[in-house]
Each structure stands twice: as structure tokens, then as C-alpha cells.
Amino acid sequence: TPLLSRAECASYISLAEEAAAARGGWTVARHRGAPTTDVPIHDVPGLVPLWYALLRDRIRPLLARQFGVRGRDVHVHDAFVVKYDAAAQRHLPVHRDESELSLTVALGGE
């Protein structure tokens, strides 16, 4: 079962694109070890309530089931929407995230 519907994915993408355009572009230097073209969710006002609902209703329960952790013990270190462009960045270097668990939710593609 997908974590987000196609409509929800489209909404996340649209809100992130609008926010990036309003701020003069996507960030490209927030992560030293594995830089991505991204926009932090906390910088996208329209995404903040959607993100917190997703975290509360779907992500925490998913991680609790999969990893045996208590949902209320799952805290977010960094949440962002990444924009990948195969012509500009085909991969990330091998790296270690700053958290015990990392979750990637694909918003585009099949």
C-alpha cells in the first residue's frame, strides 16, 4: 500500500516547487556529506500541516510495526523534499545519515 496517494504526492511536489520559486530556488548546500537539491519542509508553510498529519497517522505507525519502536518515540531530525535531476545529479555518495532510521518517500514516477 502506498504511503501517499498520487494526489497527495502531486500536492507535495506542487507546494515544494512553489516555495522554492518564491525563495529564489532550491537549496543545494544544506548537507555536507551528501548534498541534495532540496527544500526543508519547515520552509513550506502549506506542507507543514500535511507533514505532521502524515507523520502522526502513517509514518510513526509504519515505523512502529516495522522496527518495533514506539511511535511516540520517533522524532524527526530533518525532513525535506528533494528534487532529483538525472542530468545534474545521478546519485549520492555513500554516506551515513545522522539518525538511527531514515525514510525516503518517492513522490514522483512509477
Side-chain angles (χ1 to χ4, degrees):
T1 303
L3 196 59
L4 293 168
S5 69
R6 288 179 190 257
E8 290 170 315
C9 290
S11 179
Y12 267 67
I13 292 168
S14 176
L15 289 166
E17 290 279 7
E18 290 170 13
R23 68 188 307 210
W26 293 76
T27 64
V28 294
R30 288 187 335 106
H31 304 107
R32 283 177 279 175
T36 56
T37 301
D38 64 43
V39 62
I41 286 179
H42 66 266
D43 285 350
V44 185
L47 269 183
V48 172
L50 298 176
W51 165 249
Y52 281 119
L54 177 66
L55 180 64
R56 179 192 65 235
D57 300 339
R58 301 182 206 171
I59 292 175
R60 282 187 172 135
L62 170 71
L63 295 177
R65 283 191 311 272
Q66 292 297 112
F67 298 103
V69 297
R70 293 184 308 182
R72 68 176 182 261
D73 290 339
V74 174
H75 302 281
V76 176
H77 174 72
D78 191 16
F80 50 97
V81 177
V82 178
K83 182 175 185 173
Y84 287 109
D85 178 353
Q89 183 180 32
R90 298 193 55 81
H91 69 281
L92 292 176
V94 174
H95 66 282
R96 183 182 180 114
D97 289 336
E98 296 179 33
S99 60
E100 285 187 50
L101 301 172
S102 292
L103 178 71
T104 300
V105 179
L107 299 176
E110 293 297 315

